[in-house]
Amino acid sequence: MKRNKIRLLTIVLTLVLVVVGCSKTSTDNNKEEAVNENNIQESNYIHLTMLYPKSTNPILNTEKSVSYIMNLIYDGLFEIDDKYNVQPRLVDKYNMSSDGKTMDITLLSNAKWHDGSEVTSSDVDFTIDLIKKNKTSPYYDLVSDIQSVGITNSKNFTLKFTENNPFEIDKLTFPIVSKNKLNGLKDSELSLSKKNSIGNGPYKIKEYVERQHLILERNEKYFGDLPENRKEIFVKVVPDIESQTEMVLSLDSDIANISIGELSKFEGKKEFNITKYQGRDYEMVMFNYQNNYLKNVNIRKAIAASVDREKILKDAYVDNGSLTNFPLNTTSKYYDAEIKSIPFNKESAENYLKKGLATLGKKLKLENPNSSSEEEDKTQTIIEDNNINGSASIQLDKADVKRMLADVEFKIIVSKDNEERVKVANMIRENLQTIGIKSIVSELEDEAMTKALEKKEYDMAVIGYSLSSVPDARNILKSLNIEDKKLDSYIISLSKSNSESETKRIYNQIQNHVVKNTSFISIGVLDNFIVKNKRLNGDIYPNYFDIYKGISNLQMTK
């Protein structure tokens, strides 16, 4: 009897273990199905990825893929739209003083944190102070000239600037963080995810598992006009950028930002839609103004007219970019699309070259009448052969041009690690050859390239810039070392502008001037790409600083 009881107890315990085991497995499976969807085609989440964040504090984070996600959780005073212009976000109204040194701002009355508390002037003041204390913050340069924040009340404050800057509004795009949640924390605590769980944007954090995933749910009390049925977002944490691309390819993620080099992996595949948008990579050719030939505006025009920029964009950059005449995104309100660079035309190039060499030759003769240098002797011989006197014009034929350029060879430098720019340099060399100008291409390591630019050991250089979120081209123009007093005066005028209309007017003058004088050869702004799983219906409106703009509009394919 005792033996039978033991056997019965064993059977009961076994059944209990089986039941408990099944229950646990079922619970785990349900959780895995809800959180780690193996087949996102069946998922109600929009699936995204980001690299492991060292900080989920948007002010301290320096990882770009994380900042894209933080844009969904945190709003700034202003935001950058798909045309790279700023629009109010947390701001209801604002007014700049006549001297451009103070700005009065009123926050939206219904802007709130995810816990229901109001976004206040003190939050703005705290955020600016936090950025200033952290020089490694990606937003540090945006607040460096804010001298003080004068708080009037919870929704009104005044920003005081150290100097007038026509682009102050464009700089107020940094995310605003909560003073109530972060004030008084040690530096080591400011980065912790548990201290940064409350934002003010259209999505709020529902769940965060370190090094694994993040789930975002709708902020139902968000002030913005967004679809009520917008989907929740599942963000997988991945080790590297390559993983982000591969997860979209394997249909384990819905959206990714990809490079031109990765584009071929997705083209022609029925599972994906590709959205092209103008990025921030600006490509150009700069001149060395210490070269006597390149100081001459007509010789610069001859070079520009000989360069087939459309072919360069098509062949070197696989037609993924927009031709421009100035270092601004062409969608910017400050860019003047009516101004056109010198078109590619061999005949025009040859005429400009003749005119430039004639002017240069006349100048050399007048400045150095007794010069014995071989180059200047040749020039003077040509001038004398054409019966030139102090006031007459110089008419050169092809033989004259050839003789004057016999000992001229331009050095074009380029970074050897940038395949596209190397192609550009060689295409320019070929273009110059068609009008009789010899040149060589020098491919340099990055360090050598930097040194050559600093020491001006080049005649032309194929370079690129990353355009800022602030549409201010002054630093780029200054870095080109253009010897042009008129341009310098325009730049000074721009610094004194304190209205959008005035800034537009001066920018128009600058763009007209640099194009008229061929101050440099502008190639264009390159495209970036977003690839999206076709299971998502709707359009997004990305820019380089916010690739998920418009994600609230996306719905699942039925």
Side-chain angles (χ1 to χ4, degrees), residues 2 44 88 94 177 206 234 253 260 318 347 361 371 386 407 411 441 447 457 463 520 524 554:
K2 185 176 181 180
N44 285 321
Y94 61 95
V177 295
K206 179 179 181 179
F234 181 92
S253 177
I260 290 178
V318 204
E347 183 178 351
S371 172
N386 282 276
D407 297 320
K411 180 180 179 181
V441 173
E447 186 176 345
E457 296 172 341
I463 59 173
F520 49 85
L554 300 181

Side-chain angles (χ1 to χ4, degrees), residues 193-333:
S193 58
K194 64 182 179 181
K195 302 294 185 180
N196 294 279
S197 58
I198 302 297
N200 53 27
Y203 291 88
K204 57 184 181 179
I205 297 174
K206 179 179 181 179
E207 178 179 303
Y208 180 46
V209 180
E210 295 271 359
R211 296 182 176 273
Q212 293 187 34
H213 67 263
L214 176 71
I215 297 179
L216 304 180
E217 62 182 345
R218 298 183 295 273
N219 175 13
E220 302 292 359
K221 297 181 179 180
Y222 186 62
F223 62 83
D225 183 19
L226 296 174
E228 293 182 1
N229 61 342
R230 60 189 188 276
K231 299 301 180 183
E232 293 189 347
I233 297 173
F234 181 92
V235 184
K236 177 72 174 175
V237 177
V238 297
D240 49 46
I241 295 175
E242 290 74 17
S243 299
Q244 292 185 288
T245 303
E246 291 304 317
M247 285 191 69
V248 176
L249 272 172
S250 61
L251 305 182
D252 291 322
S253 177
D254 285 315
I255 305 173
N257 195 38
I258 62 171
S259 66
I260 290 178
E262 296 169 320
L263 192 60
S264 60
K265 297 179 181 178
F266 296 92
E267 288 178 322
K269 293 192 176 183
K270 62 181 182 180
E271 298 92 345
F272 307 107
N273 284 321
I274 298 173
T275 299
K276 179 164 68 172
Y277 66 97
Q278 201 167 116
R280 63 184 296 206
D281 293 329
Y282 173 70
E283 303 290 290
M284 65 171 298
V285 180
M286 66 183 291
F287 297 115
N288 182 352
Y289 280 77
Q290 291 185 352
N291 181 309
N292 282 326
Y293 288 91
L294 298 178
K295 281 182 180 179
N296 187 284
V297 62
N298 284 303
I299 291 180
R300 295 197 303 271
K301 286 183 177 181
I303 292 171
S306 75
V307 173
D308 191 343
R309 297 190 307 143
E310 290 187 3
K311 184 173 176 58
I312 282 176
L313 193 65
K314 181 179 180 180
D315 292 354
Y317 299 105
V318 204
D319 212 15
N320 290 311
S322 302
L323 289 178
T324 64
N325 60 54
F326 197 74
L328 284 175
N329 289 96
T330 62
T331 56
S332 170
K333 61 189 173 187

Side-chain angles (χ1 to χ4, degrees), residues 445-468:
E445 299 285 355
D446 287 344
E447 186 176 345
M449 182 77 180
T450 301
K451 188 177 294 185
L453 289 170
E454 290 175 350
K455 294 185 175 182
K456 295 183 173 56
E457 296 172 341
Y458 65 93
D459 297 304
M460 299 166 64
V462 182
I463 59 173
Y465 288 91
S466 290
L467 300 179
S468 168

Side-chain angles (χ1 to χ4, degrees), residues 35-59:
V35 177
N36 298 318
E37 296 284 354
N38 291 323
N39 182 4
I40 69 167
Q41 301 301 101
E42 304 298 325
S43 170
N44 285 321
Y45 289 119
I46 294 175
H47 286 251
L48 306 177
T49 58
M50 70 179 183
L51 273 58
Y52 172 70
K54 294 180 181 178
S55 173
T56 53
N57 183 319
I59 299 303

